[in-house]
Amino acid sequence: MENEGKYQQFYKTTAWKKLSKSFREVNPVCVKCYERGVIRKVEIVDHITPIRDDWSKRLDWHNLQSLCLNCHNIKTKVETESRNKE
Ligand SMILES: [Zn+2]
C-alpha cells in the first residue's frame, strides 16, 4: 500500500509533469495505433518498463511512449494479469 502511494505521488511531481509535457510535444500520436496505421492523439505518456518494475527508469526519456487511453488500458491489463500469475 505504501508503494502505491509512492507511484501516485510520482505522477504529481514537477519533474514528471515537465518531462511528460515535452514528450507529448515531440510524440503527439499513440505509437500502438500508429503501428496499425491509425492516427490517434496521445492521451497517456506511458513507461515502457513500468516504474514499479524499475523505479530508476521513471524519468528516462527512452523508457517513455505515447499511448491513447485504449492502448494504455490494454497494456495495463496485460501487465496486471502477468503480475497476478507470478
Ligand atoms: Zn492507441
Side-chain angles (χ1 to χ4, degrees):
M1 286 304 267
E2 224 171 76
N3 276 345
E4 290 302 319
K6 171 176 147 183
Y7 301 129
Q8 308 238 321
Q9 284 304 313
F10 165 69
Y11 289 106
K12 293 177 190 163
T13 60
T14 309
W16 169 249
K17 284 180 184 171
K18 272 191 183 170
L19 181 71
S20 58
K21 187 171 180 284
S22 323
F23 193 83
R24 280 165 191 258
E25 284 166 6
V26 180
N27 304 278
V29 299
C30 171
V31 288
K32 296 284 179 197
C33 289
Y34 187 77
E35 282 170 8
R36 301 194 303 265
V38 179
I39 301 294
R40 288 192 76 174
K41 196 170 173 283
V42 52
E43 288 173 288
I44 310 272
V45 177
D46 178 60
H47 289 93
I48 298 167
T49 302
I51 56 172
R52 64 182 67 219
D53 290 341
D54 192 343
W55 178 245
S56 71
K57 287 187 178 167
R58 67 196 181 283
L59 291 172
D60 183 346
W61 181 275
H62 301 290
N63 188 41
L64 303 180
Q65 62 182 352
S66 291
L67 294 180
C68 67
L69 203 54
N70 189 43
C71 292
H72 182 258
N73 286 343
I74 293 167
K75 180 171 183 277
T76 307
K77 192 167 176 283
V78 170
E79 280 168 6
T80 307
E81 278 171 4
S82 64
R83 188 165 284 117
N84 289 342
K85 260 181 237 156
E86 281 161 15

